[in-house]
Amino acid sequence: MIFRARHFQFIFPRPALIMGIVNVTPDSFSDGGRFLSSKAAVTHALKLAAAGAEILDVGGESTRPGASPVGEKEECRRVIPVIKKLASVFKGRAPAISVDTMKPAVARAALEAGASIVNDVAAHRNDAEMWRIIAEFGAGYVVMHAPSGLHQKRGGAGDIVHEVGDFFSERIKKLKVVGVRPEQIVFDPGIGFGKNVEQNLRLLACLRSFVRLRRPLLLGASRKSFIEKLFGLKVNERLPASLACAILGVESGAHIIRAHDVAETVRAVRMAEAVLGKQKK
């Protein structure tokens, strides 16, 4: 299975990719404000790369519940200088740069600045403009499942696993119509987005069911609030539970792990892969 993102090509099976999170925001739930300046964000991103991140996900708008919307100009002001600087440092080599955005104009500016992947938490929208940009640049595209309101809670009726699987299948067809090739697509079940604790746990338990779609699967459970709801843990206390999710995800077939704590996640995932590699086929 191949994942293509502009000039980057990742061929699976291979060790799971770790996507390091670079929040250039004042209000992200985990580290909002710590890396708001371009200099601080670039320094943080370089540390994540040195720790083993093969993708750097740069975001300029918080998607936590209750966060204030950010306009296109402000989002670009936050992320584009960071992406340009990272692109000049890496010069087309790994790590690949991802932009975490819902806005087509920001996606285009980021790709022009040197990004290779668009991580779209609003991929549920029938956004032909965004999709045409992905096709035009040959960019990687992370398609995340979320209700129409992102954090709008779903009812308990129905099977969340079937719902997410059906959504992924439907997106492949729609994206193909506008020229986005299957090998550009990564799927993200959207842990924490419009789902209650039970639904999040159910998705984590059934990740393997999405492998049948033959597209890379991204898992983003790092420091998510469902961990707090389960155990009453503050953000800075959620690393062990986040690592447990990452290990279980890799065992279930996840190909990309999105993480705040890159060094710890790399070590945990590589240990899990070393053990899994010794299982009898």
Side-chain angles (χ1 to χ4, degrees), residues 31-278:
D31 52 12
R34 289 185 61 196
F35 313 114
L36 185 56
S37 74
S38 295
K39 183 178 180 180
V42 169
T43 299
H44 179 58
L46 293 176
K47 288 180 180 178
L48 297 183
E54 293 183 75
I55 302 173
L56 296 172
D57 194 34
V58 182
E61 180 177 24
S62 174
T63 53
R64 67 172 176 80
S68 300
V70 176
E72 287 178 0
K73 289 185 178 180
E74 174 60 18
E75 191 174 342
C76 282
R77 187 193 69 78
R78 294 177 183 180
V79 302
I80 300 306
V82 176
I83 292 171
K84 283 184 176 178
K85 180 60 177 178
L86 292 175
S88 71
V89 170
F90 299 127
K91 300 184 186 303
R93 302 185 303 272
I97 302 169
S98 168
V99 61
D100 184 350
T101 187
M102 299 179 277
K103 301 180 181 68
V106 177
R108 176 178 288 280
L111 292 168
E112 289 174 345
S116 297
I117 300 168
V118 176
N119 182 9
D120 186 3
V121 301
H124 58 278
R125 298 183 304 192
N126 291 321
D127 193 339
E129 182 181 1
M130 175 69 90
W131 299 347
R132 282 194 292 266
I133 291 169
I134 300 299
E136 175 187 341
F137 283 85
Y141 187 46
V142 179
V143 175
M144 195 193 81
H145 174 273
S148 58
L150 289 187
H151 295 286
Q152 170 188 329
K153 294 297 181 185
R154 299 177 64 265
D159 187 329
I160 186 65
V161 176
H162 283 107
E163 178 183 316
V164 172
D166 289 346
F167 168 77
F168 289 158
S169 296
E170 177 261 352
R171 290 290 101 167
I172 285 181
K173 295 174 183 176
K174 287 200 170 186
L175 288 164
K176 189 174 182 180
V177 170
V178 294
V180 178
R181 302 185 306 276
E183 56 263 34
Q184 294 173 247
I185 299 171
V186 169
F187 288 132
D188 177 352
I191 300 295
F193 284 81
K195 300 164 181 86
N196 59 35
V197 172
E198 178 64 27
Q199 290 163 342
N200 287 319
L201 293 176
R202 174 89 174 131
L203 285 170
L204 285 165
C206 299
L207 285 176
R208 192 168 295 281
S209 67
F210 304 126
V211 175
R212 65 178 175 78
L213 298 169
R214 296 196 55 76
R215 296 311 314 138
L217 186 65
L218 184 151
L219 177 63
S222 178
R223 302 185 187 176
K224 288 288 178 72
S225 62
F226 80 97
I227 298 173
E228 176 188 14
K229 292 171 184 173
L230 274 170
F231 307 115
L233 299 174
K234 297 177 182 178
V235 168
N236 61 356
E237 300 172 325
R238 299 177 195 169
L239 176 58
S242 299
L243 294 178
C245 292
I247 292 167
L248 289 167
V250 169
E251 193 279 332
S252 296
H255 303 86
I256 305 171
I257 303 296
R258 187 175 184 270
H260 298 85
D261 305 285
V262 167
E264 294 87 345
T265 303
V266 168
R267 293 170 194 151
V269 166
R270 297 294 175 254
M271 185 70 234
E273 290 170 336
V275 174
L276 292 169
K278 299 301 181 183

